[in-house]
């Protein structure tokens, strides 16, 4: 799930501003310039500058690269979202008001997985609104699996553009440069699984 550039009036929502402020705070605390951070995470200094000001939305998986570059858990960039208890199993109901939802740019993510001991995956129910341009290309550690439930989503990979319709899926190593684009007229609904729990909290903060 790559980054998406949005004009201020679209991207400057609460979560986007809070994430941007967290990135800037952590970067400053570490004495890093925008160029330093860009070199470490693979995003451009210009994009990061706008992101820190809340003018560019950052996708969830790109937060992995930023978190790694800043040497923090990705959850720290999202604030208090997703703090859930740790149990041996968890059941998610579709109308659960406690479900974690994160809106970033044209994407809204509903976290389906819980916070289990030694958890190794995170699955999101994601909607992707149509946009005029694709998201910027990104790459990071790990792997991803995306299954399209409704609509259409294009993955831009180094050698081809892969168009996925309802019932199609893609599984790839996240080090492969990738971007996505919903260039249709309808919202795309997908299930997205990544190989690490994005919203995991340290043991002492879980409840």
């Amino acid at each position: 799930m790559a980054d998406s550039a949005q004009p201020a009036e679209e991207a400057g929502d609460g979560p986007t501003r809070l994430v941007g402020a967290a990135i800037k705070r952590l970067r400053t605390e570490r004495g890093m310039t925008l160029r330093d951070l860009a070199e470490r995470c693979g995003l451009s200094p210009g994009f990061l500058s706008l992101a820190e000001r809340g003018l560019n939305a950052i996708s969830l998986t790109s937060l992995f690269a930023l978190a790694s570059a800043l040497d923090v858990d990705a959850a720290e960039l999202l604030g208090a979202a997703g703090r859930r208890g740790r149990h041996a199993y968890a059941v998610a109901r579709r109308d659960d008001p406690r479900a974690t939802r994160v809106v970033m740019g044209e994407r809204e993510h509903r976290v389906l997985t819980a916070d289990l001991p030694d958890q190794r995956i995170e699955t999101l129910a994601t909607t992707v609104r149509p946009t005029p341009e694709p998201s910027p290309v990104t790459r990071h550690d790990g792997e991803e699996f995306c299954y399209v439930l409704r609509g259409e989503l294009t993955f831009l990979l180094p050698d081809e553009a892969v168009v996925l319709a309802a019932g199609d899926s893609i599984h790839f190593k996240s080090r492969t440069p990738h971007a996505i684009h919903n260039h249709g007229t309808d919202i795309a609904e997908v299930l997205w699984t990544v190989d690490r729990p994005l919203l995991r909290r340290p043991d002492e903060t879980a409840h």
Side-chain angles (χ1 to χ4, degrees):
M1 294 182 290
D3 307 294
S4 57
Q6 299 285 325
E9 60 271 23
E10 295 181 13
D13 54 16
T16 301
R17 290 195 301 271
L18 291 174
V19 169
I23 294 169
K24 183 175 183 179
R25 174 179 57 80
L26 291 166
R27 176 180 64 79
T28 302
E29 288 175 355
R30 286 153 178 74
M32 297 168 60
T33 66
L34 280 170
R35 187 170 299 279
D36 292 335
L37 181 57
E39 290 177 353
R40 293 191 182 191
C41 71
L43 299 171
S44 72
F47 183 91
L48 290 175
S49 175
L50 291 173
E52 287 188 348
R53 290 150 54 195
L55 303 182
N56 270 355
I58 300 175
S59 70
L60 287 178
T61 53
S62 289
L63 287 179
F64 289 145
L66 279 163
S68 177
L70 293 167
D71 194 27
V72 296
D73 190 292
E76 187 169 341
L77 300 179
L78 290 175
R83 186 171 298 173
R84 290 159 287 164
R86 293 173 181 263
H87 302 282
Y89 67 92
V91 176
R93 304 296 184 185
R94 64 179 180 179
D95 57 352
D96 186 352
R98 299 168 299 173
T100 300
R101 296 178 185 272
V102 180
V103 179
M104 298 293 290
E106 80 277 17
R107 300 171 212 179
E108 178 175 345
H109 309 279
R110 179 173 183 260
V111 181
L112 301 180
T113 39
D115 192 6
L116 304 181
D118 300 318
Q119 181 181 345
R120 302 191 187 281
I121 64 167
E122 186 93 283
T123 299
L124 312 166
T126 300
T127 59
V128 185
R129 299 195 310 272
T131 56
E133 300 293 332
S135 62
V137 175
T138 189
R139 60 181 179 176
H140 48 88
D141 291 333
E143 59 186 289
E144 304 175 44
F145 175 82
C146 179
Y147 178 84
V148 178
L149 298 169
R150 184 172 71 88
E152 187 175 280
L153 198 60
T154 299
F155 280 76
L156 305 174
L157 303 172
D159 299 323
E160 62 178 323
V162 179
V163 180
L164 301 181
D168 296 337
S169 63
I170 185 171
H171 183 192
F172 61 97
K173 292 290 187 179
S174 304
R175 272 291 169 190
T176 303
H178 59 280
I180 69 166
H181 191 199
N182 180 355
H183 54 73
T185 58
D186 299 323
I187 292 176
E189 297 180 2
V190 305
L191 284 178
W192 217 306
T193 298
V194 293
D195 68 339
R196 70 193 79 181
L198 179 65
L199 299 180
R200 170 172 293 184
R201 291 298 188 202
D203 289 338
E204 63 268 23
T205 63
H207 63 75

